Amino acid sequence: MNIAVISFSFTGNNDRLAACVAQDLSATHIKITPQKPMTMGKIILDMVFTRTPKVDPDPDSLQQYDLLLFFAPVWMGHIASPLRAYWNYLKSNPQAYGFFSISGGADNGNPKLRSELLKRTGAEPSIMLDQHLKAFLPQNSKTTRNDTSAYKISETEASFLSSIAIKEINKLITDKQ
Ligand SMILES: Cc1cc2nc3c(=O)[nH]c(=O)nc-3n(C[C@H](O)[C@H](O)[C@H](O)COP(=O)(O)O)c2cc1C
């Protein structure tokens, strides 16, 4: 099966996790780059006004793969805006896809991700996994979004999160065969 691992990251966590998963699966790892560099101001405007930033690579280049596994952060309860061009592409060119995130998890566990994917792509993801930075922070205090947003996962933490993702992906691949 020809699998592409496609990631966007603002502070490095999702790229790091995606790199581990791609290595474990021997899959191609493609990093998404916004044509205009992301800033905190741009993030907020994108999320408030539901903008779709221009990105590289062109979503059409994903046609050759059997399974697309996307990795990106959650911002303000929604999937990061640089993924939107790919959701638009999937809506007109349905393809099997999955969505993974290492997000903060400080708020309420991001309950809207699945319905957002369905609305934007027109199809349920074959697999979805939102893992949380909160799990790596001290559990005895009230964790805030500021605490989680500043946290960068280590190589060891990325390998741990990747092993959880790989179990789910392998189940999916077995079911598809
Ligand atoms: C502007 C902003 C908004 C965020 N909103 C959320 C959120 O709603 N839910 C959540 O779980 N994490 C939220 N986070 C935390 C990020 O999802 C988390 O830090 C993630 O690991 C960053 O991934 P990256 O390093 O790949 O960019 C937010 C971070 C930023 C910068």
Side-chain angles (χ1 to χ4, degrees):
M1 189 182 271
N2 198 5
I3 302 175
V5 169
I6 305 140
S7 66
F8 169 77
S9 201
F10 184 56
T11 57
N13 289 336
N14 283 278
D15 274 351
R16 183 164 256 192
L17 172 58
C20 273
V21 170
Q23 194 179 20
D24 282 358
L25 293 175
S26 301
T28 308
H29 182 194
I30 299 164
K31 289 191 189 178
I32 298 171
T33 317
Q35 289 180 4
K36 289 189 185 155
M38 271 290 154
T39 59
M40 194 55 84
K42 203 169 172 311
I43 289 176
I44 290 165
L45 289 174
D46 280 3
M47 300 323 279
V48 170
F49 296 108
T50 329
R51 304 192 308 191
T52 300
K54 291 205 170 94
V55 288
D56 290 313
D58 187 332
D60 278 334
S61 65
L62 303 179
Q63 244 169 10
Q64 59 183 298
Y65 298 98
D66 307 310
L67 178 63
L68 306 175
L69 301 176
F70 292 95
F71 289 72
V74 175
W75 291 336
M76 298 162 72
H78 298 277
I79 299 165
S81 56
L83 276 283
R84 289 182 185 153
Y86 300 92
W87 306 148
N88 293 344
Y89 164 79
L90 285 179
K91 195 153 203 176
S92 19
N93 304 273
Q95 243 172 293
Y97 78 98
F99 176 70
F100 297 81
S101 185
I102 172 70
S103 68
D107 302 304
N108 56 2
N110 309 313
K112 294 183 185 157
L113 300 182
R114 193 172 283 278
S115 57
E116 180 180 357
L117 286 168
L118 179 58
K119 185 175 146 210
R120 288 188 177 276
T121 67
E124 289 268 1
S126 302
I127 185 167
M128 200 200 92
L129 186 63
D130 178 26
Q131 302 193 80
H132 295 150
L133 295 173
K134 192 181 172 184
F136 297 121
L137 291 163
Q139 301 297 305
N140 54 358
S141 58
K142 169 115 183 66
T143 310
T144 65
R145 191 184 282 185
N146 280 350
D147 300 325
T148 56
S149 295
Y151 194 85
K152 307 277 184 301
I153 54 169
S154 65
E155 278 300 329
T156 312
E157 288 162 346
S159 300
F160 170 72
L161 296 168
S162 170
S163 67
I164 296 170
I166 291 285
K167 268 192 207 141
E168 299 293 316
I169 296 164
N170 282 338
K171 256 192 249 160
L172 173 68
I173 293 173
T174 310
D175 288 351
K176 278 187 174 289
Q177 279 164 350

